[in-house]
Amino acid sequence: DVCSSDLIRANPKFALYRRGDPFSTLARSIIGQQISVKAAQSVWDRLALAAGDMSPARILDMEGEQLRACGLSRQKQGYARSLCEMVVSGELTFDALPEDDEEAIALLTRIKGIGRWTAEMFLIFNLARPDVFPVGDLGLQNAIARHYNRGRKPAPDKAFTPTFDQTPATFWPVDIAMQHKCAKRSTMRAFLGYSKVFSVAANLIRATRTTTP
């Protein structure tokens, strides 16, 4: 459509594809909660150095004091252990996530510290699922209201059915648009709003690009 076609033409090679390690992506999303991207990377680097092997089993073996020394609060330690326990027990198997997006979200949100929004971002940016549309996000609500819904924000509990080119990948060209002069700051503000997309999506994008600790 008219609103999204300019971004698509400006970034013809952009496409969703599976990338990065799913466990690391979710672990990074937990570590990055409520802190800057730079601070999250610092914590991750200290954790990777202390753990040696960034596997769920290894992190479960680490003492609370070790994790605290890396920068993880008691709450985040609990979240990280919840993730690791589900992976080690086999309750969460990334290669066998339900194909149905809602079922996958329900499973992912069993992890302490992982809410629906983070689960949706994981499905979009790590597993490249194109049909996930997190209508509850403020940035998307603002974009839909501004460009597609006559100024009205869609209710989070009501479906908004996007067309093929109205996927979150189009609404959130976070990485691409910032590299292209043709994507004006005003356009970014219109599409992204002033939601938590900036901080959390940056952590997710960094995580999906990093295949090693």
Side-chain angles (χ1 to χ4, degrees), residues 118-204:
T118 302
E120 290 169 335
M121 297 302 97
F122 173 77
L123 293 179
I124 294 169
F125 291 110
N126 186 268
L127 300 186
R129 295 199 180 187
D131 297 325
V132 179
F133 202 84
V135 71
D137 179 81
L138 178 60
L140 278 183
Q141 288 187 24
N142 288 338
I144 294 168
R146 181 181 178 91
H147 298 287
Y148 296 102
N149 210 32
R150 298 180 180 179
R152 295 169 299 171
K153 293 181 181 179
D157 60 344
K158 294 184 179 179
F160 173 84
T161 304
T163 62
F164 177 77
D165 55 357
Q166 292 171 357
T167 65
T170 300
F171 279 108
W172 289 335
V174 180
D175 183 51
I176 300 235
M178 287 187 175
Q179 298 179 45
H180 287 268
K181 294 180 180 179
C182 60
K184 298 180 181 179
R185 186 177 300 274
S186 59
T187 301
M188 288 296 293
R189 285 175 177 167
F191 275 94
L192 298 177
Y194 291 96
S195 72
K196 56 188 176 182
V197 169
F198 282 110
S199 59
V200 182
N203 279 319
L204 284 165

